[in-house]
Amino acid sequence: MTLTDSPRPAVEGADLDALLVRAASGDCDAFVDFYDATSPRVYAVLVSLTRDANRAASLLEEIYVEAWERMRGRSAPPCPGMEWMTVIAHRHAAGRR
């Protein structure tokens, strides 16, 4: 479920937000790090909501594309990064994009 094969250190809280800020300025590596740190939890939320692993995997991609597009040009995420991703996941699982 990661975008890269190399192991990444655990990232949490403010560090996630800092990764999003860097990603907003076009830093693709920062977004990859954000994805690697958050996607397992977001996927678990999606599986819990949809009860369908294939649908959850499909939604996961859509969610991170939306996050990448919405972060462009922002100076900070609209709320803490993991919370923001969970809100987007809930919206997608419910069919409200």
Side-chain angles (χ1 to χ4, degrees), residues 30-55:
F31 195 76
V32 168
D33 289 345
F34 179 79
Y35 175 91
D36 287 346
T38 60
S39 63
R41 287 177 57 194
V42 173
Y43 177 75
V45 167
L46 289 168
V47 168
S48 172
L49 292 170
T50 64
R51 304 206 186 288
D52 180 341
N54 290 329
R55 182 154 191 269

Side-chain angles (χ1 to χ4, degrees), residues 45-46 48-51 55-56 59 62-63 86-97:
V45 167
L46 289 168
S48 172
L49 292 170
T50 64
R51 304 206 186 288
R55 182 154 191 269
L59 288 173
E62 293 174 20
I63 289 163
T86 302
V87 168
I88 295 172
H90 277 267
R91 204 175 64 243
H92 278 255
R96 299 183 317 256
R97 298 183 186 153

Side-chain angles (χ1 to χ4, degrees), residues 4-5 9 16 20 26-27 36 54 62 70 72 77 79-80 95 97:
T4 62
D5 293 331
L16 290 175
L20 281 177
D27 185 338
D36 287 346
N54 290 329
E62 293 174 20
R70 290 182 64 193
R72 283 182 154 163
C79 62
R97 298 183 186 153

Side-chain angles (χ1 to χ4, degrees), residues 51-71:
R51 304 206 186 288
D52 180 341
N54 290 329
R55 182 154 191 269
S58 176
L59 288 173
L60 188 70
E61 181 180 336
E62 293 174 20
I63 289 163
Y64 281 91
V65 167
E66 178 180 334
W68 173 255
E69 291 171 351
R70 290 182 64 193
M71 272 309 296

Side-chain angles (χ1 to χ4, degrees), residues 3-38:
L3 293 175
T4 62
D5 293 331
S6 61
R8 303 270 183 184
V11 181
E12 294 187 20
D15 292 335
L16 290 175
D17 296 343
L19 288 173
L20 281 177
V21 170
R22 287 180 32 216
S25 67
D27 185 338
C28 292
D29 290 333
F31 195 76
V32 168
D33 289 345
F34 179 79
Y35 175 91
D36 287 346
T38 60

